[in-house]
Amino acid sequence: LRLDNANTYKGPTTVEGGTLYLDSVESLPAGSALVVDNAATLALQKNSFTTPSLTGGGTVKNGTLVTSALNLTTDSRMMLDGAELHLADGAAVTLTGDLSALDKTQKYALVSGSIVCEGAVTLPALGDHWKISLKSDGVTLKQEQGLVLVVH
């Protein structure tokens, strides 16, 4: 599906399957949260968009996306293919899913691609056993008992 004109609908934009092409900088309504499901692709078409939140495990392609909330799950992997994800200053990264089912000796890439942290990033609701480190290539989440989740 191609969106090449201004859209003013209210509510989130959900890509459940296939590819949604955002051909215009006005294709995504202001304030629309984004959900990109595992089997879906969001093609930014070299445009830049700001969204209050990004959720899911699909693919984001060719452009720049700025968000204040990145919502990830332990059972999906978000791919940034030629896209750059900016975590705004004060952004919150949340992680849901069954952490006990993960192998504590393995590393998990929850996001693969280019992430830019524009300032402090918080990890709400993960508990005291999690630590965060920010590097130029993204965010690393480490569990004290040995589990490492990598967002890079």
Side-chain angles (χ1 to χ4, degrees):
L1 174 64
R2 286 191 178 278
L3 299 179
D4 58 5
N5 292 311
N7 286 291
T8 58
Y9 61 87
K10 303 288 186 208
T13 300
T14 301
V15 188
E16 292 181 346
T19 301
L20 175 62
Y21 296 90
L22 301 178
D23 290 336
S24 164
V25 295
E26 297 177 329
S27 295
L28 185 66
S32 181
L34 284 171
V35 178
V36 184
D37 288 346
N38 290 350
T41 299
L42 177 67
L44 303 175
Q45 302 301 84
K46 300 183 181 177
N47 292 308
S48 180
F49 297 93
T50 299
T51 179
S53 67
L54 175 61
T55 302
T59 300
V60 179
K61 293 179 72 166
N62 301 328
T64 302
L65 197 56
V66 180
T67 188
S68 297
L70 178 60
N71 306 306
L72 304 170
T73 65
T74 58
D75 61 351
S76 64
R77 307 292 176 259
M78 184 178 294
M79 171 64 92
L80 302 174
D81 180 7
E84 192 169 81
L85 178 62
H86 288 243
L87 297 177
D89 187 27
V93 177
T94 60
L95 176 64
T96 57
D98 185 3
L99 294 174
S100 66
L102 299 176
D103 182 343
K104 291 180 175 61
T105 65
Q106 300 295 315
K107 289 184 179 181
Y108 294 89
L110 299 178
V111 177
S112 178
S114 177
I115 295 182
V116 176
C117 297
E118 296 180 349
V121 174
T122 61
L123 293 172
L126 288 184
D128 295 332
H129 299 290
W130 289 91
K131 297 188 180 207
I132 185 170
S133 66
L134 301 175
K135 298 181 180 178
S136 61
D137 62 349
V139 182
T140 299
L141 308 177
K142 183 174 183 181
Q143 211 270 347
E144 286 179 355
Q145 297 172 344
L147 175 63
V148 178
L149 301 174
V150 182
V151 180
H152 62 90

